[in-house]
Amino acid sequence: MANVVVVGAQWGDEGKGKIVDWLSERADVICRFQGGHNAGHTLVIDGEVFKLHALPSGVVRGGKLSVIGNGVVLDPWHLVTEIETVQKQGVEITPQTLMIAENTPLILPLHGELDRAREEAASKGTKIGTTGRGIGPAYEDKVGRRAIRVADLADEATLIARVDRALQHHDPLRRGLGIDAVDRDGLIAQLKEIASKILPYAAPVWKVLNEKRRAGNRILFEGAQGALLDIDFGTYPFVTSSNVIAGQAATGTGVGPGSIDFVLGIVKAYTTRVGEGPFPTELDDENGQRLGEQGHEFGTTTGRKRRCGWFDACLVRQTCVTSGVTGIALTKLDVLDGFETLKICTGYELDGERLDYLPIAADQQARCTPIYEEMPGWSESTEGARSWADLPANAIKYVRRVEELIECPVALLSTSPEREDTILVTDPFSD
Ligand code: IMP
């Protein structure tokens, strides 16, 4: 298959980093298509640790083209720092190896300030638990048609007009929240200064990708966050502000939907969530604590402790549909080692009725109670397993039951953070 989309099929943090790294070795082009530096991918290559937030994972591998698509919101100051950090680690980044879509909207300092001020002002129940990086306010400006986009950095008069348009909206908002008006001239000066560092990477990405595709190059579309944080299909309003599902790979880069050959959904063998919002299978007991400890469940971007719970097959079945998942990569199976009994959520009970999907209304979501199926656990270690023969019988039964319940096959199984500790069933890039 020529072009593969990788999406998180839960609430993010499914272990995409390792899988994307493994696939990016086989790809020619690696594209980010949504989100921003709210994402966090840790890559370990030959013992060197790379922490990436805005850059596509392919940058750390030589000979690849990395692309930031128009579906992303980009903090140019953060990006420049991130580029400098990986350059210091010996990675070469040039306009030949990194391209940024000219129509990518920028995240400005005022977006982060607004994000954080709103979260601080929010009362219990309305706080989203955002990463505080300005993602939501930047997307609001994009759809409000007042964003500053990468291409605007090239022309001073356009840039000034865009800043004035944005401040017309933001200054009254800030006043309402008790924040000082934006220092207009200071912001313009900052943007003019960063422009020379960003513009060399600006490119008509839709056109470059078309040429690459026609030349037979393999393109990997690297999703961030997870489908349950999708602005349309996630647990709204406790979501991120972009479309996260696989269809966004097309609109977020400018390729047609027919160019996507395989959608790989990344699924953790249990469930986690950072931030606020419904989580039907959340565990507040020692099992939840144990999943968090064994799974090292702390956020890469914010360091926050992740909420943990049993595997929710009902939700993953749903996200496999909305993203058109061809096969899943099941990660962190080894974290379940040593549990005597495991539970899988197969549906919900709501007002005496059984549902096989999570309803969209927030009050109904809050009242849904999970219906569980129990499975025996295993005492043996699965850590580092590289073939089915290395897995205990009960672990295989668990994986097979997951496949049945989510109605989607396992393409890859990951049993440790090491890239070789993977059982390959179907290579998404194979023809
Ligand atoms: P925002 O994307 O910063 O606006 O945050 C909105 C919601 O998405 C919050 O619940 C965040 O915790 C969550 N979120 C954003 N990025 C990630 C991620 O990369 N992994 C997991 N959760 C995320």
Side-chain angles (χ1 to χ4, degrees):
M1 303 275 181
N3 306 316
V4 174
V5 179
V6 170
V7 287
Q10 292 153 312
W11 276 292
D13 311 312
E14 298 91 353
K16 289 186 285 293
K18 167 180 158 174
I19 308 290
V20 163
D21 174 46
W22 181 80
L23 285 170
S24 64
E25 208 177 25
R26 294 163 164 71
D28 304 296
V29 183
I30 297 99
C31 300
R32 280 281 308 266
F33 57 88
Q34 48 73 231
H37 63 312
N38 49 349
H41 289 173
T42 304
L43 301 177
V44 184
I45 296 173
D46 298 332
E48 179 99 40
V49 180
F50 296 93
K51 286 194 185 292
L52 303 179
H53 294 282
L55 286 168
S57 298
V59 288
V60 296
R61 304 214 158 263
K64 314 282 177 193
L65 172 62
S66 292
V67 170
I68 294 178
N70 56 279
V72 167
V73 280
L74 181 73
D75 179 328
W77 298 278
H78 175 93
L79 184 74
V80 167
T81 308
E82 198 171 313
I83 290 175
E84 285 167 1
T85 306
V86 294
Q87 278 175 334
K88 278 192 201 126
Q89 291 182 275
V91 172
E92 202 191 2
I93 297 184
T94 68
Q96 281 69 50
T97 62
L98 175 68
M99 290 184 188
I100 306 172
E102 298 158 312
N103 45 348
T104 305
L106 300 183
I107 302 178
L108 306 175
L110 60 88
H111 292 128
E113 286 159 17
L114 182 57
D115 192 359
R116 293 185 292 272
R118 278 176 176 163
E119 285 284 279
E120 267 164 38
S123 53
K124 198 169 162 19
T126 61
K127 225 181 251 306
I128 306 291
T130 72
T131 57
R133 303 229 159 168
I135 307 295
Y139 277 116
E140 285 170 35
D141 278 2
K142 171 181 173 169
V143 295
R145 293 167 290 193
R146 56 179 173 267
I148 298 171
R149 307 200 297 179
V150 167
D152 300 329
L153 295 171
D155 179 68
E156 190 172 334
T158 308
L159 182 62
I160 292 172
R162 290 260 187 264
V163 168
D164 285 337
R165 170 73 192 91
L167 296 194
Q168 238 177 27
H169 173 83
H170 280 277
D171 278 339
L173 251 184
R174 290 165 72 90
R175 218 173 299 128
L177 283 160
I179 322 174
D180 290 343
V182 174
D183 168 9
R184 169 187 180 270
D185 296 343
L187 175 60
I188 293 169
Q190 274 181 297
L191 284 164
K192 276 163 62 178
E193 204 252 333
I194 204 72
S196 61
K197 297 183 180 158
I198 294 292
L199 285 171
Y201 301 105
V205 155
W206 64 271
K207 188 168 179 296
V208 173
L209 290 183
N210 187 44
E211 285 156 9
K212 292 283 178 192
R213 203 175 54 79
R214 292 173 85 158
N217 283 260
R218 289 169 158 189
I219 306 176
L220 176 66
F221 296 92
E222 176 185 359
Q225 290 88 44
L228 295 169
L229 290 170
D230 182 273
I231 185 77
D232 288 300
F233 291 99
T235 45
Y236 191 91
F238 303 100
V239 292
T240 192
S241 296
S242 63
N243 280 115
V244 174
I245 58 174
Q248 174 66 13
T251 47
T253 60
V255 302
S259 309
I260 295 164
D261 303 295
F262 195 106
V263 178
L264 184 69
I266 316 294
V267 176
K268 188 145 56 179
Y270 50 100
T271 314
T272 62
R273 168 161 212 174
V274 215
E276 306 300 318
F279 181 173
T281 63
E282 182 169 16
L283 291 166
D284 286 322
D285 59 8
E286 68 276 14
N287 283 327
Q289 185 124 4
R290 187 164 162 193
L291 286 171
E293 279 162 19
Q294 291 186 189
H296 309 291
E297 295 295 353
F298 292 91
T300 322
T301 302
T302 57
R304 287 181 291 178
K305 199 163 177 276
R306 297 177 185 143
R307 301 155 64 191
C308 297
W310 296 122
F311 185 73
D312 192 333
C314 188
L315 279 180
V316 175
R317 188 166 58 232
Q318 201 162 319
T319 58
C320 282
V321 171
T322 53
S323 272
V325 172
T326 322
I328 65 158
L330 190 65
T331 64
K332 294 186 121 177
L333 184 68
D334 54 298
V335 173
L336 299 181
D337 291 353
F339 278 86
E340 205 171 307
T341 307
L342 298 166
K343 288 187 183 180
I344 301 181
C345 170
T346 57
Y348 308 106
E349 197 184 294
L350 177 67
D351 303 333
E353 266 185 63
R354 191 193 162 108
L355 295 181
D356 64 355
Y357 68 101
L358 189 69
I360 213 78
D363 70 300
Q364 294 190 343
Q365 288 183 351
R367 283 186 292 114
C368 274
T369 53
I371 299 169
Y372 285 117
E373 176 174 302
E374 279 194 9
M375 296 201 69
W378 52 90
S379 54
E380 305 90 326
S381 166
T382 62
E383 194 182 340
R386 294 182 184 185
S387 75
W388 292 103
D390 294 338
L391 293 178
N394 281 351
I396 297 176
K397 276 189 202 149
Y398 183 81
V399 175
R400 294 296 179 222
R401 188 64 186 137
V402 164
E403 282 181 313
E404 261 170 27
L405 288 169
I406 66 171
E407 297 169 8
C408 192
V410 166
L412 286 147
L413 192 63
S414 166
T415 55
S416 100
E418 294 298 321
R419 70 199 323 257
E420 282 74 27
D421 294 340
T422 304
I423 300 172
L424 177 63
V425 182
T426 309
D427 182 348
F429 274 127
S430 69
D431 295 316

